[in-house]
Amino acid sequence: MHEKSLSQIYDLIKNYPKDTVIGEFAGRDSVAAILKAMEDSSVNNILPIASFAPTEYGDFDILESNYEKMVERAKELYGNSKTIFPLIYYSDFDLWSVLNGRFVDYILKKYEFYTPCMGCHAYFHLLRVPIAIKVSNRIIAGERESHDGRIKLNQIAECLDAYERIAKDLGTELMMPIRYMEDGDEVKKLIGWNWEEGKKHQTCAFSGNYKNIDDSVNYDKELVKKFIDDYLYPASIALGKLIINEENPTREKMVQALKNRGELL
């Protein structure tokens, strides 16, 4: 596994077709989303990008095996009529840190709750925006509102609507082709091999941080909406504009971009 810089990615994709869609590549749902998106006649070329948060650990090499299986499955379904380009790796831990770590004390005092998971998914989508702008302006994401009836706080409707709005207001389209695919068996059928949810990919140190001891999930919808509207959305827009206009801005510049939003902090 070797991560590329943004300039290396730009150089790589300059000769790719302009209709190339950026594909989130992570766990099982992201693979299902890519394969589902390929049913669309306008989706013919996909560049999968694997990105990480600084809280992740475990088996990263398994991604290569999962990628190969996805390519084989795509060929089974579509032959040579569609292309999945080689998997690339790109992350920005400073971006994650500023969006999800720098202002935790402020967030806790203002909203009386905190989870890094909502901002973490916003981070993953933000990362791909500058790259998508160089090609089709479209990004495929494996977000699902329900996982066999289980709630993931970073994938409730309010969050998915926010990610979609963030992407749109930054000039891109966030495609979520399996958003309403609730049944995990349907996901397995789509990907074509027996991949259990939550297996065969890296683990996050914050996994389950918003769950009660009995694994139930309770949240105040109004507080969540306020957090999204007052912090996550404007912070993501400010950081998104910065990384679109400036390649590899420093962490200090990212922090200042948020401080410059007077209504934010």
Side-chain angles (χ1 to χ4, degrees), residues 156-175:
I156 58 175
E158 290 80 6
C159 286
L160 302 194
D161 289 344
Y163 306 149
E164 189 174 48
R165 182 161 61 110
I166 290 164
K168 181 180 179 181
D169 290 349
L170 290 172
T172 59
E173 177 189 357
L174 187 65
M175 304 167 65

Side-chain angles (χ1 to χ4, degrees), residues 66-78:
N66 293 337
Y67 166 77
E68 294 296 338
K69 289 178 180 177
M70 177 181 70
V71 171
E72 289 173 11
R73 178 60 171 163
K75 286 184 177 179
E76 287 177 13
L77 295 172
Y78 305 105

Side-chain angles (χ1 to χ4, degrees), residues 55-254:
T55 57
E56 292 182 277
Y57 62 95
D59 186 359
F60 293 88
D61 293 334
I62 194 68
L63 288 167
E64 292 292 337
S65 173
N66 293 337
Y67 166 77
E68 294 296 338
K69 289 178 180 177
M70 177 181 70
V71 171
E72 289 173 11
R73 178 60 171 163
K75 286 184 177 179
E76 287 177 13
L77 295 172
Y78 305 105
N80 295 319
S81 65
K82 306 207 178 216
T83 300
I84 298 179
F85 292 109
L87 174 65
I88 63 174
Y89 299 88
Y90 173 64
S91 307
D92 186 337
F93 292 170
D94 283 342
L95 181 62
W96 190 97
S97 171
V98 172
L99 187 59
N100 298 300
R102 170 61 181 83
F103 299 103
V104 171
D105 181 66
Y106 164 81
I107 291 168
L108 280 169
K109 287 175 179 175
K110 184 169 183 178
Y111 304 105
E112 300 179 345
F113 91 101
Y114 174 72
T115 174
C117 298
M118 298 176 184
C120 190
H121 272 221
Y123 154 79
F124 285 129
H125 301 317
L126 279 175
L127 273 179
R128 299 180 178 99
V129 164
I131 304 169
I133 288 173
K134 297 292 184 180
V135 279
S136 69
N137 296 299
R138 294 196 290 174
I139 303 164
I140 301 166
E143 307 281 19
R144 290 167 63 206
E145 278 193 32
S146 177
H147 298 70
D148 297 290
R150 290 178 291 107
I151 295 172
K152 291 190 176 182
L153 199 52
N154 52 8
Q155 295 184 62
I156 58 175
E158 290 80 6
C159 286
L160 302 194
D161 289 344
Y163 306 149
E164 189 174 48
R165 182 161 61 110
I166 290 164
K168 181 180 179 181
D169 290 349
L170 290 172
T172 59
E173 177 189 357
L174 187 65
M175 304 167 65
M176 294 182 276
I178 64 167
R179 175 172 179 168
Y180 302 109
M181 191 177 290
E182 181 175 347
D183 189 345
D185 287 338
E186 190 177 352
V187 173
K188 280 198 285 187
K189 182 179 178 181
L190 178 60
I191 65 175
W193 76 91
N194 187 28
W195 184 357
E196 295 297 330
E197 183 181 0
K199 306 296 183 182
K200 297 184 179 179
H201 64 84
Q202 60 279 2
T203 302
C204 178
F206 282 109
S207 179
N209 71 90
Y210 50 78
K211 291 182 180 179
N212 297 317
I213 293 175
D214 64 358
D215 284 337
S216 62
V217 177
N218 304 109
Y219 64 96
D220 186 320
K221 185 176 288 190
E222 292 306 312
L223 269 182
V224 167
K225 288 173 67 175
K226 184 172 177 59
F227 167 74
I228 290 171
D229 292 341
D230 292 359
Y231 177 77
L232 186 60
Y233 171 80
S236 296
I237 293 297
L239 292 170
K241 288 179 178 179
L242 178 62
I243 63 175
I244 288 169
N245 293 317
E246 184 176 338
E247 215 174 286
N248 304 316
T250 63
R251 185 178 187 276
E252 290 72 22
K253 281 191 175 182
M254 293 181 191

